[in-house]
Amino acid sequence: MRLLIVEDEKRLALSLAKGLRAEGFAVDVVHDGNEGLRLAAEGVHDLVVLDIMLPGLNGYRVCAALRAAGHDVPILMLTAKDGEYDEAEGLDTGADDYLTKPFSYVVLVARVKALLRRRGSAGASPVLRVGRLVVDTAARRVCRDETEVTLTAKEFAVLEQLATRAGQVVGKPEILEHVWDFAYDGDPNIVEVYVSTLRRKLGTDTIQTVRGAGYRLVAS
Ligand code: CA
């Protein structure tokens, strides 16, 4: 899952990014409304955390522009406590949820996860079953034959990309895009490294390589 944070308070933005990365998300951060709109409109993010008071273009405008262009990415708006901004106005422009500053980090993560779950195949269970694997995308846990397998946050994120589209081929660039953020400019073959670790931990028969196309998680 790849998130975009649009927040001009740099320390806040960076600490949010750090925390969300520790949860296994890929996170891009920008500090200005125009840049936020440009990136969000690329359509590669699974959720946008959007501040309202921003240089360039304010959060309401960013949100309204995205919705007007047909983007339905979930948007969590951050608003100041002073009541200067009206929740109703934000929801009017198409935000999915609201958080008033100052907020607790734990609450932010819970809201982010709730929005992603809500979006995930129309309220479907966050627990994915693929053959002998049970992937709990909310608790970030995976079991094979009822036994829990310990994965790092990144390993889990790669598995999640494959599990949400089990049986289908998922391309390497797609996995990179959703699991690593745009600050990553290393070797795209990093995906292969993670896939081979996942095979070692979950069973070699679980992930097939489809030459030239990508990977497929199969119910073996
Ligand atoms: Ca701000």
Side-chain angles (χ1 to χ4, degrees):
M1 292 279 172
R2 181 164 168 181
L3 313 182
L4 174 63
I5 297 176
V6 189
E7 165 62 82
D8 60 319
E9 287 168 51
K10 293 189 177 160
R11 283 178 58 183
L12 173 62
L14 296 176
S15 78
L16 290 181
K18 191 175 169 203
L20 289 164
R21 285 187 185 120
E23 298 279 331
F25 296 109
V27 184
D28 297 319
V29 180
V30 291
H31 306 297
D32 144 321
N34 287 310
E35 189 66 358
L37 176 58
R38 190 184 66 75
L39 270 188
E42 286 178 2
V44 301
H45 295 96
D46 301 290
L47 182 139
V48 180
V49 176
L50 181 61
D51 188 31
I52 290 174
M53 275 294 276
L54 289 167
L57 199 62
N58 75 39
Y60 292 139
R61 284 169 178 264
V62 172
C63 187
L66 283 171
R67 294 304 186 235
H71 293 284
D72 64 350
V73 60
I75 295 176
L76 173 59
M77 272 202 174
L78 304 180
T79 173
K81 196 182 180 150
D82 55 16
E84 191 181 344
Y85 300 102
D86 184 7
E87 266 190 34
E89 188 178 346
L91 294 171
D92 269 0
T93 62
D96 297 85
D97 199 3
Y98 250 90
L99 208 50
T100 304
K101 291 180 187 174
F103 49 80
S104 105
Y105 175 71
V106 176
V107 171
L108 175 98
V109 172
R111 298 283 191 89
V112 163
K113 288 185 175 173
L115 277 177
L116 289 170
R117 265 202 303 282
R118 214 195 289 169
R119 183 56 50 106
S121 44
S125 158
V127 179
L128 307 166
R129 287 166 205 280
V130 185
R132 298 154 73 182
L133 300 182
V134 177
V135 184
D136 186 334
T137 61
R140 322 291 296 166
R141 293 169 61 178
V142 59
C143 291
R144 179 181 162 100
D145 297 335
E146 325 270 297
T147 306
E148 185 167 355
V149 180
T150 308
L151 299 183
T152 66
K154 275 275 188 281
E155 287 162 7
F156 188 89
V158 171
L159 176 66
E160 185 179 31
Q161 288 303 312
L162 295 169
T164 49
R165 289 165 55 196
Q168 298 174 36
V169 179
V170 184
K172 205 189 284 181
E174 227 171 307
I175 297 174
L176 260 184
E177 210 162 68
H178 282 272
V179 179
W180 281 268
D181 49 56
F182 73 159
Y184 181 78
D185 58 358
D187 189 348
N189 291 322
I190 185 134
V191 176
E192 276 170 35
V193 176
Y194 277 83
V195 166
S196 65
T197 309
L198 286 171
R199 282 188 179 127
R200 186 165 48 74
K201 292 187 173 182
L202 301 171
T204 48
D205 51 349
T206 49
I207 303 172
Q208 294 176 341
T209 300
V210 182
R211 207 155 285 285
Y215 300 99
R216 179 163 54 207
L217 187 69
V218 289
S220 55

